[in-house]
């Protein structure tokens, strides 16, 4: 059957390309922000803010194109699901960019403060865990691979674990006010990274919806699984 | 402007009949339906019966047994030639034998007259000597035979039947009694010889032969009018009707279709056009005799120089305006309103979208009408025209008024000839006393019916072919 | 994106949302769309256009410009005069004896309602496609060739063949009919017939093609094909389409004009132009309340 809506489908594809680009840029920003925080590289922190500005522009552009496309083309079926997923991912990825900026700001605030190397290592590890998550989320979206998307909750578990252990680490630092300030910043950065992990899981949920047409909340499923095991 | 939710309509169950009431009601409704249907069927049966009665009467008259007295019986003629009458008939003789029979039977005066009408052979003369022939043909009033043209075998055979056998029908019988009571007819003829021998002159009852006769036959169509019913034919009237129809069509179709095109395609709605339209509709209902009187006053009298042809042909024209031209145009006027109305209907039936499509492409009105509207309307226009012409063929009254001849044996030769037409001929025959004229009138009616049927069939075929193509 | 001078960065997402919404509002007021609202290169312009049928005023005071190589949709509730306005642009209203047009329609720097303008001249330049497919009862070839012939096509017989082929190709019908050009136009399906009518309209080499609800008699797939075709055609022609199908206007057009209808005390209905703008704008954020109510189905 011949495609009767080539113009619409071309525009839809263009929209998806923009989302891919946002995903790539967000992925890059996370790495850059964690690097800035861990090494105290203020140039990198500045580049993160510039990068987020590009993501924000993309966000606005996608939003405008999305609403026009929705108003004018009345998508149906798979196209409609894709539109819904694109809108969701647009918001999610914009926030991912914001989280990267937050981490970069923490890098600036922490500049010159003494740091607990153990905590820094943990933040670094979280960064190393979260970036592949976002990559997996975007890749599974590009390939429409629901099975790959379903791996994300499991990938998120170590991130959550490290985030929870951070609190104990910070308390253990004791009374050094300078150390405490930098450690608090690190905790906030860990929280930002934990949010990025959650956002990747959200994207995974969207991918499963896009492919199967049914929406599953991964967290609830995980709870349910645990409940039935225990 | 603000949306107001409409009040929810109530279901009105109580205002409808209950199931039992409904069943009773339904029964009465079905009964009424059945009564109506039966009424329509009855109407149809009456119509079909009327039609069959008409056909029955005509066919009954046109065929049947006749009692004939021959001057010479064909068997005797064949026996005289030395042939066996049992295995040979007049029809199987060759031309030379037939001419020989004529030579032996007709007077030399009659023979010469026949030869002057038309020669028997191209290379030799039978009744006339060559010298006299040349002299006659050299004279100012050379007869038709001089123009050449030779009688063929069937012409000669007809002459032999007419001049040698000379059949005289003394009584005829209708088809149905002939089929079922042949003996009764024969007996009644024999009885007539006993009771009133004067009716039959010199004939004796022994000379009477009973034969089947189809009054409608090829000879009937080929022969001209005659005062003797046995040899009288429809040719003159058939040719007259053909000429009339041609002139009627040539006049009514272009004028009628042209007027219709103007009214439908070009005229803007105005008082005047409405008035014209109303008049056309009313004219279609005017009795045909009125058209005859119009034709008489205007065409035959006022425009006599034109309709008699004297304006173009001088003395060669007809003596007065009672010509085919007058008759044809009168009939044309008669059917003109019908042609206009049917053509208008055909044009109006063409979807407006076609006109719009044409005009939207930058065509002028006439380009659109000619290329897009007319082709679609044509079958309808032609159907209407043919049906109108068919009506004209059957018209009698106006032709009587504009002077179709009742008795004429000369074939019409052109628009300025005097003429007769089939319905006139039938009318004239039925008013004659001899029984045999009733038979040939029936035969003529059959010919007329066949002609009408052919025209109607042509209309149907035309319509079907075009509507399939579109 | 939040204020960088703050000592501790805000992670509060609601605040960020507010910020984004504000920026969005700014962004949409300076629409980044490639098409400016002001039409520089108008192909047709109506000035103070009004139509009367006898004493009855069907449309009043329409002034608008139609962009070259754009698709402009006229939408509105029934009786709003959108078709009447469309038919002013090729003077098809002249065919209705009681119709009278006031105001001017400028095409090619000329008022097509000027005294010395023959409507036939206008219609060659402004083609039209109708609601119901109305091919001529002729062969497919003749359907397309006729318009050129009557307008004095000067080329040879083979030129005419080329013209017909290119028109049918442009109408995206060639592959379906190339082997049966001599068959009747009626042998085609409804959608094909409509594309044949489009081929016929563009074969006279017009500048503008008017379409009066061109897909309303077609099934959804045939409708989509016509819509796709329009996107191709606008590269060569300017298209004005009347449609009662809002979604269709949204899908195909670059600009949309919304007409509404006023009913006076005597029950006479007079159409008027309410809002005219980029289609993106009309269907996402119309400026006029009436337009908003119409497109959201709360009126009309």
């Amino acid at each position: 059957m011949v495609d009767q809506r080539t113009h619409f489908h071309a525009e839809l594809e263009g929209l998806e390309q923009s989302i891919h680009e946002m995903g790539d840029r967000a992925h890059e920003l996370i790495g850059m922000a964690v690097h800035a925080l861990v090494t105290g590289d203020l140039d990198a922190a500045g580049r993160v803010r510039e990068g987020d500005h590009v993501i924000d522009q993309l966000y606005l552009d996608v939003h405008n194109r999305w609403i026009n496309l929705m108003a004018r083309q009345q998508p149906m079926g798979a196209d409609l699901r894709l539109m819904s997923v694109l809108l969701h991912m647009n918001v999610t990825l914009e926030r991912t960019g914001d989280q990267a900026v937050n981490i970069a700001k923490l890098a600036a605030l922490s500049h010159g403060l003494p740091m607990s190397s153990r905590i820094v290592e943990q933040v670094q590890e979280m960064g190393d865990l979260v970036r592949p998550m976002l990559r997996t989320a975007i890749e599974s979206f590009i390939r429409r691979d629901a099975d790959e998307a379903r791996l994300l909750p499991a990938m998120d578990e170590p991130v959550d674990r490290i985030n929870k252990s951070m609190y104990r680490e910070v308390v253990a630092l004791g009374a050094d006010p300078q150390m405490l300030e930098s450690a608090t910043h690190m905790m906030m950065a860990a929280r930002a990274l934990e949010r990025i992990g959650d956002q990747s899981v959200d994207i995974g949920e969207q991918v499963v919806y896009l492919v199967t047409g049914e929406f599953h909340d991964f967290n609830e499923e995980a709870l349910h699984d645990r409940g039935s095991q225990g | 402007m603000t949306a107001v939710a409409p009040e929810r309509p109530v279901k009105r169950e109580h205002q409808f009949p209950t199931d039992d009431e409904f069943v009773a009601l339904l029964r009465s409704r079905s009964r009424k339906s059945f009564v109506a249907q039966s009424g329509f069927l009855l109407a149809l049966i009456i119509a079909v019966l009327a039609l069959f009665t008409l056909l029955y009467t005509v066919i009954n008259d046109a065929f049947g047994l006749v009692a004939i007295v021959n001057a010479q019986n064909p068997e005797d003629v064949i026996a005289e030639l030395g042939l066996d009458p049992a295995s040979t008939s007049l029809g199987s003789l060759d031309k030379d034998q037939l001419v020989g029979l004529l030579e032996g039977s007709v007077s030399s005066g009659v023979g010469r007259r026949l030869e002057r009408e038309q020669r028997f052979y191209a290379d030799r003369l039978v009744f006339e000597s060559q010298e006299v022939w040349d002299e006659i043909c050299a004279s100012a009033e050379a007869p038709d035979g001089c123009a050449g043209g030779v009688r063929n075998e069937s012409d000669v055979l007809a002459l032999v039947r007419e001049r040698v056998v000379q059949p005289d029908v003394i009584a005829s019988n209708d088809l149905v009694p002939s089929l079922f009571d042949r003996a009764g007819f024969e007996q009644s003829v024999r009885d007539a010889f006993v009771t009133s021998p004067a009716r039959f002159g010199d004939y004796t009852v022994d000379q009477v032969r009973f034969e089947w006769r189809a009054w409608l036959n090829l000879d009937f169509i080929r022969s001209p009018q005659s005062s003797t019913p046995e040899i009288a034919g429809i040719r003159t009237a058939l040719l007259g009707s053909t000429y009339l129809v041609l002139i009627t069509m040539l006049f009514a179709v272009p004028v009628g279709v042209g007027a219709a095109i103007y009214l439908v395609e070009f005229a803007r709605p105005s008082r005047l056009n409405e008035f014209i339209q109303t008049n056309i509709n009313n004219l279609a209902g005017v009795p045909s005799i009125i058209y005859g009187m119009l034709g008489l006053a205007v065409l035959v009298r006022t425009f006599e120089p034109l309709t008699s042809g004297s304006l173009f042909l001088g003395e060669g024209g007809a003596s007065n305006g009672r010509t085919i031209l007058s008759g044809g145009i009168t009939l044309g006027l008669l059917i003109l309103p019908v042609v206009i109305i049917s053509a208008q209907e055909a044009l109006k039936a063409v979807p407006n979208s076609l006109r719009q499509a044409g005009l939207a492409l930058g065509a002028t009105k006439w380009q659109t009408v000619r290329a897009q509207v007319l082709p679609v309307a044509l079958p309808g226009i032609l159907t209407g025209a043919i049906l109108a012409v068919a009506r004209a063929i059957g018209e009698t009254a106006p032709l009587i008024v504009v002077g179709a001849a009742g008795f004429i044996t000369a074939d019409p030769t052109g628009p300025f000839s005097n003429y007769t037409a089939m319905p006139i001929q039938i009318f004239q025959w039925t008013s004659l006393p001899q029984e045999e004229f009733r038979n040939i009138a029936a035969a003529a009616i059959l010919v007329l019916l066949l002609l009408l049927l052919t025209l109607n069939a042509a209309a149907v075929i035309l319509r079907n072919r075009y509507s399939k193509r579109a | 994106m939040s204020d960088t001078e703050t000592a501790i960065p805000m992670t509060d997402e609601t605040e960020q949302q507010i910020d984004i919404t504000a920026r969005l509002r700014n962004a949409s007021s300076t629409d980044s769309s490639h098409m400016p609202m002001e039409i520089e290169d108008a192909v047709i312009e109506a000035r103070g256009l009004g139509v009367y049928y006898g004493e009855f005023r069907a449309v009043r005071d329409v002034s608008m410009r139609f962009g070259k190589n754009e698709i402009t949709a006229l939408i509105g509730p029934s009786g709003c005069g959108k078709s009447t306005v469309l038919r002013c642009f090729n003077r098809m209203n002249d065919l209705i004896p009681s119709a009278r047009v006031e105001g001017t329609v400028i095409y090619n720097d000329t008022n097509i309602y000027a005294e010395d303008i023959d409507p036939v001249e206008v219609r060659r330049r402004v083609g039209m496609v109708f609601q119901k497919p109305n091919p001529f009862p002729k062969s497919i070839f003749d359907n397309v060739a006729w318009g050129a012939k009557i307008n004095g096509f000067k080329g040879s017989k083979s030129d005419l063949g080329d013209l017909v082929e290119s028109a049918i190709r442009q109408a995206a019908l060639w592959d379906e009919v190339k082997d049966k050009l001599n068959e009747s136009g009626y042998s085609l399906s409804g959608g094909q017939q409509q594309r044949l009518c489009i081929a016929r309209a563009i074969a006279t080499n017009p500048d503008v093609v008017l379409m009066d609800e061109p897909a309303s008699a077609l099934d959804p797939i045939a409708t989509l094909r016509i819509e796709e075709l329009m996107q191709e055609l606008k590269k060569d022609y300017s298209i004005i389409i009347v449609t009662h199908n809002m979604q269709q206007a949204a899908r195909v057009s670059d600009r949309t004009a919304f007409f509404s209808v006023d009913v006076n005390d005597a029950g006479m209905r007079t159409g008027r132009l309410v809002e005219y703008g980029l289609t993106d704008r009309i269907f996402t954020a119309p400026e006029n309340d009436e337009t908003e109510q119409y497109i959201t189905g709360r009126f009309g």
Side-chain angles (χ1 to χ4, degrees):
Chain A
M1 182 144 171
V2 194
D3 187 354
Q4 310 288 5
R5 304 186 67 177
T6 51
H7 287 84
F8 165 50
H9 290 146
E11 281 188 57
L12 189 55
E13 194 157 306
L15 211 52
E16 188 180 334
Q17 289 300 333
S18 297
I19 293 292
H20 294 169
E21 191 188 337
M22 284 173 78
D24 288 345
R25 285 181 182 276
H27 183 259
E28 194 188 336
L29 288 193
I30 298 165
M32 218 183 276
V34 172
H35 171 77
L37 181 66
V38 171
T39 62
D41 182 347
L42 290 185
D43 285 349
R47 284 203 300 279
V48 170
R49 280 183 214 179
E50 285 159 21
D52 182 55
H53 187 67
V54 176
I55 289 183
D56 287 348
Q57 288 302 320
L58 275 169
Y59 169 78
L60 289 174
D61 179 51
V62 167
H63 185 277
N64 281 337
R65 281 156 65 202
W66 186 92
I67 201 157
N68 286 336
L69 206 57
M70 194 70 188
R72 298 182 55 166
Q73 298 293 352
Q74 306 101 36
M76 289 295 158
D79 290 346
L80 180 60
R81 296 205 300 278
L82 178 57
M83 286 294 279
S84 155
V85 169
L86 287 176
L87 183 66
H88 192 278
M89 285 179 74
N90 192 36
V91 174
T92 307
L93 290 171
E94 193 272 335
R95 287 181 188 171
T96 305
D98 289 348
Q99 298 293 2
V101 170
N102 288 342
I103 296 171
K105 283 177 188 165
L106 290 166
L109 293 173
S110 310
H111 190 68
L113 291 175
M115 271 191 238
S116 152
S117 63
R118 199 173 147 72
I119 291 176
V120 170
E121 265 169 39
Q122 284 191 336
V123 169
Q124 177 74 56
E125 192 186 347
M126 278 180 84
D128 292 345
L129 286 168
V130 162
R131 286 185 68 206
M133 282 184 72
L134 187 60
R135 170 61 46 209
T136 302
I138 300 294
E139 291 285 322
S140 68
F141 170 59
I142 293 172
R143 287 199 289 270
R144 306 284 195 270
D145 188 340
D147 291 337
E148 193 178 352
R150 288 196 185 94
L151 299 175
L152 284 162
M155 294 171 79
D156 195 35
E157 273 174 29
V159 178
D160 286 349
R161 213 169 42 237
I162 298 173
N163 185 40
K164 276 175 195 151
S165 71
M166 283 288 272
Y167 180 70
R168 283 193 298 277
E169 298 284 345
V170 174
V171 171
L173 282 177
D176 182 341
Q178 280 205 321
M179 282 293 266
L180 204 58
E181 188 182 353
S182 75
T184 315
H185 292 164
M186 288 298 160
M187 209 168 77
M188 290 169 84
R191 165 118 196 269
L193 288 167
E194 187 265 341
R195 292 304 306 264
I196 292 172
D198 288 349
Q199 285 159 354
S200 302
V201 175
D202 282 354
I203 292 173
E205 287 170 352
Q206 293 291 323
V207 171
V208 172
Y209 169 68
L210 176 62
V211 175
T212 65
E214 283 170 45
F215 191 84
H216 297 284
D217 189 328
F218 286 170
N219 288 329
E220 277 187 15
E221 275 178 14
L223 282 175
H224 180 75
D225 287 351
R226 235 168 279 156
S228 63
Q229 280 162 15
Chain B
M1 198 139 297
T2 25
V4 178
E7 204 175 306
R8 195 174 174 281
V10 188
K11 202 176 172 199
R12 297 175 181 276
E13 190 72 58
H14 60 284
Q15 290 172 344
F16 282 89
T18 63
D19 286 356
D20 289 344
E21 285 168 347
F22 183 80
V23 168
L25 199 63
L26 183 61
R27 213 171 287 132
S28 121
R29 280 159 63 193
S30 307
R31 202 163 44 238
K32 279 176 193 154
S33 173
F34 176 76
V35 169
Q37 191 185 344
S38 309
F40 300 138
L41 182 63
L42 188 69
L44 177 69
I45 290 170
I46 291 171
V48 170
L49 274 180
L51 207 66
F52 268 102
T53 315
L54 171 83
L55 271 181
Y56 171 83
T57 320
V58 175
I59 291 174
N60 202 20
D61 278 352
F63 304 91
L65 274 175
V66 288
I68 292 179
V69 175
N70 290 328
Q72 272 183 293
N73 285 329
E75 302 88 66
D76 302 339
V77 175
I78 288 163
E80 272 174 40
L81 283 177
L83 296 168
D84 179 12
S87 60
T88 318
S89 67
L90 280 181
S92 60
L93 297 178
D94 63 26
K95 188 175 171 184
D96 290 338
Q97 289 169 316
L98 292 169
V99 173
L101 283 175
L102 269 182
E103 268 185 297
S105 298
V106 303
S107 69
S108 56
V110 172
R112 278 203 293 276
R113 191 159 58 75
L114 290 173
E115 191 144 47
R116 279 178 208 169
E117 278 175 14
Q118 199 172 10
R119 297 173 59 144
F120 290 92
Y121 296 104
D123 51 347
R124 66 189 170 91
L125 294 160
V126 181
F127 293 97
E128 198 75 73
S129 69
Q130 190 65 45
E131 295 81 41
V132 180
W133 182 263
D134 291 342
E135 193 180 310
I136 297 166
C137 286
S139 74
E141 290 168 10
D144 294 342
C146 294
V150 177
R151 291 180 197 268
N152 61 23
E153 193 174 316
S154 64
D155 288 346
V156 181
L157 178 62
L159 274 179
V160 168
R161 288 216 171 100
E162 186 189 334
R163 301 283 170 178
V164 182
V165 179
Q166 289 185 38
D168 183 3
V169 175
I170 55 167
S172 73
N173 196 14
D174 289 347
L175 178 61
V176 175
S178 304
L179 283 172
F180 298 109
D181 191 19
R182 181 177 177 143
F185 172 59
E186 292 178 2
Q187 190 56 50
S188 73
V189 173
R190 289 193 199 94
D191 291 348
F193 268 90
V194 178
T195 52
S196 52
R199 250 177 73 191
F200 303 105
D202 298 339
Y203 298 150
T204 64
V205 75
D206 301 332
Q207 286 177 299
V208 176
R209 298 157 64 99
F210 293 95
E211 282 179 7
W212 282 100
R213 181 171 174 118
W215 294 94
L216 173 61
N217 55 40
L218 267 183
D219 286 334
F220 175 70
I221 290 166
R222 281 197 302 226
S223 308
Q225 160 74 309
S226 160
S227 55
T228 320
E230 291 88 338
I231 59 166
I234 198 81
R235 186 176 76 191
T236 320
L238 199 57
L239 280 173
S241 278
T242 311
Y243 274 105
L244 274 179
V245 162
L246 275 179
I247 288 170
T248 304
M249 271 165 70
L250 284 178
F251 173 74
V253 174
V255 174
V257 173
I261 291 177
Y262 182 81
L263 281 171
V264 175
E265 304 293 341
F266 292 95
R268 294 211 148 204
S270 70
R271 283 279 168 88
L272 179 67
N273 286 324
E274 253 172 60
F275 176 74
I276 291 173
Q277 184 69 57
T278 313
N279 273 295
I280 290 171
N281 295 345
N282 287 336
L283 279 177
V286 169
S288 56
I289 190 92
I290 310 284
Y291 283 94
M293 289 160 76
L294 170 87
L296 180 69
V298 177
L299 295 168
V300 176
R301 302 245 164 91
T302 312
F303 288 110
E304 188 185 323
L306 212 72
T307 50
S308 69
S310 56
L311 198 66
F312 319 105
L313 308 171
E315 289 305 302
S319 54
N320 55 36
R322 297 166 185 273
T323 56
I324 289 188
L325 188 62
S326 301
I329 294 178
T330 304
L331 290 182
L333 287 172
L334 168 69
I335 64 168
L336 193 57
V338 181
V339 174
I340 293 177
I341 291 168
S342 65
Q344 276 185 305
E345 291 308 317
L347 287 167
K348 282 179 190 163
V350 176
N352 229 354
S353 62
L354 276 188
R355 293 183 185 87
Q356 296 207 346
L359 293 171
L361 283 175
T364 61
K365 217 158 197 182
W366 170 233
Q367 282 176 320
T368 306
V369 169
R370 195 193 56 197
Q372 309 303 348
V373 179
L374 272 188
V376 179
L378 200 62
I381 292 175
L382 288 182
T383 308
I386 289 174
L387 293 180
V389 165
R391 183 188 159 197
I393 291 181
E395 274 298 340
T396 324
L399 288 182
I400 293 175
V401 179
V402 294
F407 186 91
I408 186 170
T409 54
D411 290 344
T413 53
F416 303 116
S417 301
N418 292 327
Y419 65 99
T420 189
M422 305 237 320
I424 302 281
Q425 190 75 81
I426 293 165
F427 170 70
Q428 192 241 336
W429 278 337
T430 49
S431 59
L432 289 174
Q434 288 106 307
E435 207 179 341
E436 292 78 25
F437 278 115
R438 202 163 50 89
N439 295 117
I440 60 172
I445 289 171
L446 278 181
V447 174
L448 188 60
L449 283 179
L450 275 177
L451 198 66
L452 292 176
L453 216 64
T454 314
L455 278 172
N456 287 355
V460 171
I461 289 168
L462 213 62
R463 189 169 46 205
N464 286 351
R465 169 188 281 182
Y466 276 92
S467 56
K468 251 180 232 148
R469 229 179 52 175
Chain C
M1 73 189 310
S2 40
D3 196 350
T4 48
E5 300 311 313
T6 330
I8 293 190
M10 297 293 297
T11 48
D12 184 4
E13 284 167 1
T14 26
E15 187 151 327
Q16 287 179 356
Q17 267 319 101
I18 292 164
D19 191 17
I20 288 166
T21 315
R23 285 183 58 177
L24 239 183
R25 205 177 295 127
N26 290 335
S28 59
S29 62
T30 53
D31 201 333
S32 61
S33 173
H34 60 285
M35 209 170 288
M37 183 52 228
E38 277 307 307
I39 299 169
E40 299 293 329
D41 196 7
V43 66
I44 283 186
E45 180 177 358
R47 290 184 194 153
L49 189 67
V51 183
Y52 291 81
Y53 294 123
E55 291 302 301
F56 162 57
R57 190 181 203 182
V59 181
R60 71 174 155 88
D61 201 26
V62 174
S63 296
M64 58 194 296
R65 292 157 67 85
F66 295 89
K68 205 177 175 66
N69 297 99
E70 286 184 10
I71 300 175
T72 309
L74 313 184
I75 63 167
S78 58
C80 70
K82 51 192 190 292
S83 280
T84 304
V85 167
L86 187 77
R87 281 158 186 264
C88 287
F89 301 142
N90 66 345
R91 294 193 59 172
M92 284 302 266
N93 282 332
D94 291 22
L95 302 179
I96 302 163
S98 65
R100 187 163 58 79
V101 174
E102 65 177 17
T104 51
V105 174
I106 309 292
Y107 163 74
N108 238 347
D109 298 329
T110 317
N111 176 15
I112 64 169
Y113 279 96
E115 287 286 324
D116 57 341
I117 300 288
D118 186 339
V120 169
E121 195 181 328
V122 175
R123 292 182 195 132
R124 186 177 98 67
R125 286 295 178 189
V126 183
M128 189 160 195
V129 176
F130 296 84
Q131 180 172 4
K132 249 183 76 187
N134 56 352
F136 299 129
K138 295 172 174 290
S139 73
I140 292 166
F141 184 93
D142 287 342
N143 256 285
V144 181
W146 190 69
K149 280 194 215 157
I150 50 149
N151 281 301
F153 182 69
K154 284 193 296 191
S156 66
K157 208 167 175 189
S158 73
D159 289 340
L160 187 64
D162 293 345
L163 174 80
V164 168
E165 178 177 338
S166 84
I168 298 180
R169 273 189 195 283
Q170 273 193 296
L173 188 63
W174 181 250
D175 291 338
E176 290 152 76
V177 303
K178 61 172 183 258
D179 299 322
K180 49 177 188 176
L181 291 175
N182 288 321
E183 284 181 29
S184 164
Y186 286 1
S187 66
L188 301 175
S189 72
Q192 290 173 326
Q193 287 187 13
Q194 194 62 303
R195 278 178 281 144
L196 180 64
C197 292
I198 291 172
R200 178 177 71 186
I202 59 183
T204 60
N205 196 25
D207 287 335
V208 184
V209 180
L210 308 178
M211 297 189 172
D212 191 356
E213 301 188 7
S216 66
L218 305 181
D219 65 73
I221 296 298
T223 300
L224 288 177
R225 292 208 69 166
I226 299 282
E227 291 175 2
E228 279 284 303
L229 172 58
M230 288 171 68
Q231 299 302 324
E232 292 302 315
L233 288 176
K234 78 169 182 181
K235 292 166 188 162
D236 298 307
Y237 309 94
S238 310
I239 297 174
I240 306 176
I241 174 176
V242 161
T243 173
H244 57 206
N245 180 340
M246 252 190 306
Q247 287 74 23
Q248 181 171 63
R251 284 193 296 266
V252 299
S253 68
D254 300 309
R255 289 173 206 277
T256 298
F258 170 64
F259 287 77
S260 186
V261 59
D262 295 329
V263 184
N264 72 2
D265 297 339
M268 292 221 181
R269 302 163 70 84
T270 303
R272 71 189 149 83
L273 176 61
V274 174
E275 185 170 356
Y276 179 40
L278 291 169
T279 300
D280 284 344
R281 188 56 188 273
I282 294 278
F283 284 99
T284 56
E287 279 164 11
N288 188 292
D289 282 348
E290 272 185 85
T291 316
E292 181 88 57
Q293 285 177 333
Y294 181 71
I295 63 171
T296 53
R298 292 184 170 83
F299 146 74

